[in-house]
Amino acid sequence: MVPFFPKQISSKAIYLYLGALAAVSLLFYRFAMSPTFIIMGIVWVVGFFLLTTYCSKKWQDIPEKKLIRNLVLVALGLRIVWVIFSYFFYLIKTGAPFEFAAADSMGYWGDAAWLSTERWPVIKDYLFTSRSTVSDSGYVFYLTYLYKVIGPNIFLTRVIKALISTATVVLLYFLAKRNIGEEGGRLAAIFACFMPNLIIYCGLHLKETEMLFLMVAFLERADYLLRSRKYNVFTIAIPILLAASLFTFRTVLGAAAVFSVVTAIVFTNTSVIGRTKRIMLIAWGVLAATMLTGGTIMNEVDGLWEDRGENQSIKRHQQTVRGNQWAKYATGTVMAPMMFVLPFPTMVDVDEQYNQQIMSGGNYVRNFFGAFVLIAVFSAIFVTKNWRNLSLIGSFVIAYLGIISVSGFSNSERFLLPGLPVLLIMAAYGMTLLNAKNYRFVKIWYYVVPVMAVAWAYFKVGSRGLL
């Protein structure tokens, strides 16, 4: 068992990133990223791998209370620094403290700023009655309530996001510890602490930070309920309420949450879930499903599922019309097998995709960790054969990413982000299972990762007829 992130693997990841970045910049020199985004990518990748290596070894034997304290201090500190830096960075680059080509974030802020001046009947009618969907209503409601307390303060809102993201890291530790053991739990929490994408979203006015918190809180409380010998009305009601809240952020996420609980109840070993508890949880699940059936949420879920093929075709057609001629080949059949490693890092400057360039370092980390995720999946099914006891988190990430892979957003970082916390747990599990035999696969993966980066750059440039 490897209880920490080995330095030789960390160093290899850094060298591979620098090599891939140099290769892409030379091969497609006319479309090379600006020095600003190149430096950002290097800082994210080098910082992540060096810090995770150092902290995973330094913190592997410290008491749990000290570990949590360290996680909170470091995670919060990094996120606050990014919130301050990104606020002024975006202000200088775009003229407003919002990301490049801001759309949804400006809409969320504008709606919440307006609704915070209205009375509650108006807010309720706008968010939960007049709208045809429930997605996003939860986030706008949260911002509205927050702005009634602190005013429409953009900077303070993001400081609160940093606190929420830090809480997500701690919850992820408890979730991972119960599923893959203490060593794996510490690794997963440290990965989340330094993960670039999770830090970057704290400086944006998008819903992802709060949505991930609710998602991880749901998985953690649901997992606790399934494994605990003591349970009551509150321990049952909390995960149900958290699952319901996910529908108000992203409908598909709520559906994946419900699916994961049902799967876990059915497949988790009886030694973990007693027979009486299993029957009781099934009854509660049926009751909760009955309450949703026929309502707006279920209608929205049905509509999304029925229209999934049409939505993908429309999305690909729109991309083709905008000049992305090869987008039509990114079908669900092509993208689904890659769902554990997507999205690919954008290392070229085309179509002013600056937000994707900022995220490129974090996306590279996801690609690199794909090897360990695949080791974890293979081992859980064929070696340790403990997949039943991992069925909650496993079915959740497979269901969610599976749905996204057959939609029109299969390489969209924002839509793939909810899978990241569980993938970090799986990567940590795969790393703890490293041995001489499966390390041979990691060595092969060393060649795959830079090829993916270069191939994606070729796709982005070539699909626009710029070669």
Side-chain angles (χ1 to χ4, degrees), residues 33-297:
M33 295 189 295
S34 70
T36 299
F37 297 123
I38 289 176
I39 293 172
M40 273 191 179
I42 293 174
V43 170
W44 285 127
V45 172
V46 173
F48 174 84
F49 286 108
L50 289 183
L51 289 170
T52 51
T53 299
Y54 175 80
C55 292
S56 64
K57 196 165 187 177
K58 195 78 172 176
W59 298 351
Q60 63 175 317
D61 295 320
I62 63 175
E64 184 178 86
K65 288 184 178 180
K66 188 175 181 180
L67 171 71
I68 294 174
R69 185 197 67 184
N70 290 353
L71 286 171
V72 169
L73 292 176
V74 175
L76 182 59
L78 287 173
R79 282 152 176 77
I80 293 294
V81 168
W82 174 254
V83 165
I84 296 171
F85 171 81
S86 62
Y87 184 92
F88 292 103
F89 174 78
Y90 289 130
L91 196 61
I92 293 169
K93 292 291 185 179
T94 70
F98 292 91
E99 70 276 15
F100 299 93
D104 288 353
S105 56
M106 292 285 285
Y108 296 144
W109 179 80
D111 283 351
W114 159 59
L115 288 173
S116 66
T117 64
E118 299 290 340
R119 298 175 65 85
W120 287 112
V122 175
I123 297 171
K124 179 183 176 182
D125 179 69
Y126 177 76
L127 293 178
F128 304 109
T129 304
S130 61
R131 292 161 58 94
S132 59
T133 64
V134 297
S135 290
D136 291 342
S137 60
Y139 181 58
V140 177
F141 177 79
Y142 158 76
L143 281 183
T144 300
Y145 188 87
L146 182 65
Y147 288 171
K148 279 185 173 292
V149 177
I150 67 171
N153 189 308
I154 295 173
F155 180 79
L156 188 54
T157 300
R158 294 177 187 175
V159 171
I160 295 173
K161 284 177 179 286
L163 290 166
I164 293 173
S165 182
T166 301
T168 303
V169 172
V170 176
L171 287 174
L172 192 72
Y173 163 68
F174 290 114
L175 173 64
K177 183 176 73 168
R178 285 197 297 270
N179 281 268
I180 62 174
E182 179 65 36
E183 293 82 2
R186 293 187 178 217
L187 262 181
I190 292 170
F191 290 163
C193 177
F194 296 111
M195 186 66 198
N197 301 54
L198 300 182
I199 297 172
I200 290 170
Y201 273 99
C202 294
L204 303 176
H205 233 66
L206 296 169
K207 64 183 178 181
E208 271 65 24
T209 296
E210 290 81 2
M211 184 170 70
L212 288 187
F213 170 77
L214 292 173
M215 185 204 80
V216 174
F218 158 75
L219 290 173
E220 195 277 330
R221 286 293 86 193
D223 183 76
Y224 174 82
L225 173 62
L226 293 173
R227 297 175 186 274
S228 176
R229 295 298 180 184
K230 298 180 181 180
Y231 51 90
N232 52 46
V233 172
F234 294 104
T235 56
I236 296 174
I238 288 174
I240 291 177
L241 292 174
L242 287 169
S245 72
L246 290 174
F247 283 99
T248 69
F249 277 73
R250 184 172 293 162
T251 308
V252 173
L253 198 59
V258 172
F259 174 79
S260 68
V261 170
V262 173
T263 303
I265 292 174
V266 172
F267 288 104
T268 301
N269 288 328
T270 305
S271 59
V272 177
I273 304 179
R275 184 167 299 176
T276 303
K277 184 200 253 185
R278 194 189 302 271
I279 294 172
M280 184 192 66
L281 290 176
I282 291 174
W284 271 78
V286 171
L287 177 62
T290 302
M291 293 174 63
L292 292 175
T293 301
T296 304
I297 291 177

